[in-house]
């Protein structure tokens, strides 16, 4: 596997290592770790492998690393460069928070765009290869057309939802879907660890969540928002200082390709709603969605809830015992957007009572703390997003929940530390055909 950079001034063997130097590097993959949704036409087609560097035609003695292979919007800053900027930024601006942050973000070994037969591996924009007649009607697709940028550059445009580039709407006929041009990219990380969603210890899972709260607090203080927090983007690291000693646990926050500066509060701007010009905009001009710190905290709250709702304590149930009610609640919360919205309430609701009946007594305290934290999140949203014609103030967003969230997760960790070791596993799924 040969990786190359997209530097315009790169030499004949263009590959940037973590120090920004150019070199050719070859890795040999060993194990496929993940390829969830990699075959879909939408998304980034992410695949992750373990690998070792090839030196003198051999991988012997080389440390195990992780290679993340995916397709990035061509005009988007690459993840390796983002992490380099982040590290430099925290060391310059926040010496106090530097250690906290650097202990909980990945270390880039190498990164670069994929080059095949001397050409950068890129897609074409569907919009740029549509041919039209003199009346503007779409008549064919020009497969030989060159790609010309047709939208605002990601680094200059407005941040919208999870992507800076995918929500710039333009009126077109017949609702043709546009796919932004993407570039094949790979990044090599030093850390090879287990993801949170595969963790078997509830104590270890919440230690990782606790460390991510520290990481987020520092990121937000520097005006960064992560925008991609999930159980798959958090790793549980077990550092072995010396043989025979118990490993030290820490959480690691991954996937920084969507990291973005939260920005300042701005005046309302007109948004085009829908692609058909015949659809009138709303009476109130609303600004496009912009991620702010509260959104990161809410994502982490859902991750915490997932680790107790979609899990059962191993060895605490009889063979053949079903968890139908708990599974129903889990499917409702994590696969039904409408139900998920209605679940975000200040007070207790019907699903809360169902969970209290379903969950093991040792976990009910964790559920109670997360329900209380949910109420604090909702109140913070009501305060920060009370004016729908303006972007939320990122400073108010950060200050509204950070300390409450941190105290709650620390209290959960203290409680779990006082418990026996709680091993968890996914809910046993009965044979219900296509129900799940």
């Amino acid at each position: 596997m040969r990786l190359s950079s997209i530097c315009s001034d790169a030499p004949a063997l263009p590959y940037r290592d973590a120090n920004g130097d150019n070199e050719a590097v070859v890795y040999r993959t060993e194990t496929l770790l993940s390829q969830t949704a990699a075959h879909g036409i939408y998304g980034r087609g992410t695949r992750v492998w373990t690998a070792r560097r090839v030196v003198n035609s051999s991988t012997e003695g080389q440390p195990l690393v992780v290679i993340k292979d995916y397709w990035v919007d061509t005009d988007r800053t690459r993840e390796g460069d983002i992490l380099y900027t982040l590290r430099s930024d925290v060391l310059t601006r926040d010496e106090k928070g530097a250690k906290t942050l650097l202990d909980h973000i990945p270390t880039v070994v190498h990164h670069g765009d994929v080059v095949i037969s001397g050409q950068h591996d890129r897609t074409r924009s569907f919009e740029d290869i549509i041919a039209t007649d003199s009346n503007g009607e779409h008549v064919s697709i020009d497969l030989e057309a060159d790609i010309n940028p047709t939208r605002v550059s990601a680094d200059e445009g407005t941040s919208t939802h999870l992507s800076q580039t995918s929500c710039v709407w333009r009126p077109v006929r017949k609702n043709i879907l546009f796919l932004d041009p993407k570039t094949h990219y790979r990044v090599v990380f030093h850390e090879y660890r287990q993801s949170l969603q595969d963790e078997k210890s509830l104590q270890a899972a919440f230690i990782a969540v606790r460390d991510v709260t520290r990481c987020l607090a520092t990121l937000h203080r520097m005006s960064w928002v992560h925008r991609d927090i999930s159980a798959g983007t958090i790793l549980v690291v077990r550092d072995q200082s010396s043989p025979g000693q118990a490993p030290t646990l820490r959480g690691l926050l991954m996937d920084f390709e969507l990291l973005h500066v939260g920005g300042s509060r701005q005046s309302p701007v007109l948004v085009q709603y829908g692609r058909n010009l015949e659809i009138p905009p709303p009476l109130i001009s609303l600004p496009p969605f912009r991620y702010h710190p509260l959104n990161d905290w809410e994502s982490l709250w859902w991750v915490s809830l997932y680790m107790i709702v979609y899990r059962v304590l191993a060895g605490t149930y009889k063979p053949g015992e079903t968890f139908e009610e708990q599974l129903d609640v889990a499917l409702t919360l994590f696969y039904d957007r409408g139900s998920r919205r209605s679940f975000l309430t200040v007070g207790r609701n019907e699903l809360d009572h169902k969970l209290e009946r379903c969950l093991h007594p040792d976990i009910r305290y964790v559920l109670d703390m997360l329900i209380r934290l949910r109420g604090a999140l909702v109140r913070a949203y009501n305060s920060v997003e009370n004016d729908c014609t303006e972007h939320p103030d990122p400073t108010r967003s950060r200050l509204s929940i950070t300390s409450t969230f941190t105290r709650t997760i620390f209290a959960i960790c203290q409680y779990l530390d006082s418990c026996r070791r709680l091993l968890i596993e996914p809910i046993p799924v009965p044979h219900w055909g296509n129900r799940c």
Side-chain angles (χ1 to χ4, degrees):
M1 181 178 292
R2 184 178 295 274
L3 311 180
S4 301
S5 75
I6 197 172
C7 293
S8 58
D9 57 346
L13 296 176
Y15 187 79
R16 283 172 294 179
D17 64 11
N19 297 318
D21 300 323
N22 294 296
E23 60 174 314
V25 181
V26 178
Y27 285 88
R28 183 170 297 150
T29 58
E30 294 189 356
T31 304
L32 178 64
L33 298 178
S34 173
Q35 58 174 348
T36 304
H39 299 291
I41 191 172
Y42 307 113
R44 291 166 283 181
T46 303
R47 292 179 173 86
V48 182
W49 289 274
T50 60
R52 298 183 193 273
R53 183 172 177 178
V54 177
V55 179
N56 297 327
S57 302
S58 174
T59 61
E60 185 177 356
Q62 298 299 315
L64 198 65
V65 296
V66 170
I67 292 180
K68 179 181 173 183
D69 176 292
Y70 63 102
W71 294 79
V72 61
D73 288 348
T74 297
D75 61 358
R76 184 183 291 282
T77 304
R78 304 301 187 256
E79 186 174 6
D81 292 324
I82 290 173
L83 281 165
Y84 176 79
T85 300
L86 177 59
R87 286 176 174 271
S88 300
D89 194 24
V90 70
L91 289 170
T92 302
R93 296 171 49 196
D94 192 350
E95 292 185 7
K96 181 181 178 180
K99 187 179 188 315
T100 299
L101 182 66
L102 298 182
D103 282 346
H104 304 298
I105 64 174
T107 305
V108 176
V109 181
H110 296 100
H111 74 107
D113 291 354
V114 175
V115 174
I116 299 177
S117 300
Q119 300 290 324
H120 292 290
D121 194 16
R122 297 174 181 169
T123 65
R124 296 175 181 237
S125 169
F126 190 53
E127 182 178 13
D128 294 321
I129 58 177
I130 296 177
T132 58
D133 60 18
S134 58
N135 296 322
E137 295 290 337
H138 299 299
V139 294
S140 66
I141 296 178
D142 180 7
L143 297 179
E144 301 300 323
D146 292 328
I147 294 180
N148 296 311
T150 56
R151 49 180 170 67
V152 180
S153 169
D155 294 330
E156 299 175 2
T158 301
S159 168
T160 52
H161 196 51
L162 291 181
S163 171
Q164 297 167 269
T165 59
S166 62
C167 295
V168 182
W169 302 106
R170 293 172 297 276
V172 298
R173 297 171 183 264
K174 300 180 181 179
N175 293 323
I176 290 182
L177 176 65
F178 291 143
L179 302 177
D180 294 327
K182 297 184 182 297
T183 297
H184 198 179
Y185 174 74
R186 291 172 183 151
V187 56
V188 182
F189 294 117
H190 170 71
E191 290 80 10
Y192 165 53
R193 297 297 183 266
Q194 181 171 262
S195 71
L196 182 64
Q197 62 188 4
D198 296 324
E199 178 56 47
K200 305 300 183 185
S201 165
L202 190 61
Q203 283 93 341
F206 273 90
I207 286 174
V209 171
R210 179 198 65 193
D211 289 345
V212 171
T213 65
R214 293 168 167 166
C215 183
L216 279 183
T218 303
L219 283 175
H220 294 162
R221 192 163 59 245
M222 294 165 39
S223 299
W224 295 93
V225 283
H226 186 274
R227 307 197 299 172
D228 194 19
I229 293 173
S230 70
T233 61
I234 298 173
L235 300 186
V236 181
V237 179
R238 288 172 168 84
D239 294 315
Q240 192 79 43
S241 56
S242 61
Q245 289 190 346
T248 303
L249 290 172
R250 63 185 171 99
L252 201 69
L253 183 58
M254 302 291 289
D255 288 15
F256 281 79
E257 62 263 33
L258 298 179
L259 186 76
H260 189 68
V261 175
S264 59
R265 202 171 186 179
Q266 296 184 0
S267 300
V269 296
L270 181 64
V271 180
Q272 176 65 50
Y273 285 79
R275 298 168 184 249
N276 191 330
L277 283 177
E278 296 177 359
I279 300 177
L283 296 177
I284 301 177
S285 297
L286 301 176
F289 177 81
R290 172 170 294 166
Y291 240 76
H292 56 95
L294 262 175
N295 304 130
D296 276 347
W297 290 119
E298 183 194 342
S299 296
L300 190 57
W301 180 84
W302 281 109
V303 169
S304 303
L305 188 71
Y306 176 87
M307 294 307 296
I308 63 170
V309 173
Y310 232 117
R311 298 292 184 268
V312 296
L313 291 187
T316 61
Y317 57 92
K318 300 176 182 179
E321 182 178 351
T322 63
F323 293 84
E324 184 173 349
E325 188 173 25
Q326 183 176 344
L327 184 60
D328 279 342
V329 174
L331 293 175
T332 298
L333 288 177
F334 298 104
Y335 291 93
D336 185 336
R337 290 189 176 184
S339 297
R340 193 158 61 238
R341 291 193 190 99
S342 63
F343 185 68
L344 288 175
T345 61
V346 174
R348 292 183 178 264
N349 53 55
E350 182 181 352
L351 288 180
D352 293 337
H353 298 306
K354 285 185 178 181
L355 283 174
E356 288 172 344
R357 292 195 303 268
C358 298
L359 296 184
H360 190 277
D362 289 347
I363 301 180
R364 287 175 189 162
Y365 173 83
V366 179
L367 174 66
D368 182 66
M369 294 298 287
L370 291 178
I371 289 175
R372 295 183 188 183
L373 182 56
R374 181 190 65 197
L377 276 169
V378 173
R379 286 189 291 270
Y381 269 124
N382 290 338
S383 172
V384 172
E385 296 184 346
N386 62 331
D387 186 350
C388 65
T389 64
E390 289 190 343
H391 290 297
D393 184 335
T395 301
R396 282 187 62 201
S397 177
R398 173 176 65 86
L399 295 176
S400 65
I401 197 64
T402 301
S403 60
T404 302
F405 204 106
T406 302
R407 287 196 306 269
T408 301
I409 298 301
F410 271 66
I412 291 174
C413 287
Q414 288 179 338
Y415 164 75
L416 292 175
D417 189 51
S418 67
C419 297
R420 61 185 175 86
R421 189 183 183 199
L422 301 178
L423 298 181
I424 53 176
E425 60 187 29
I427 299 175
V429 179
H431 297 290
W432 287 343
N434 296 325
R435 180 173 182 178
C436 298

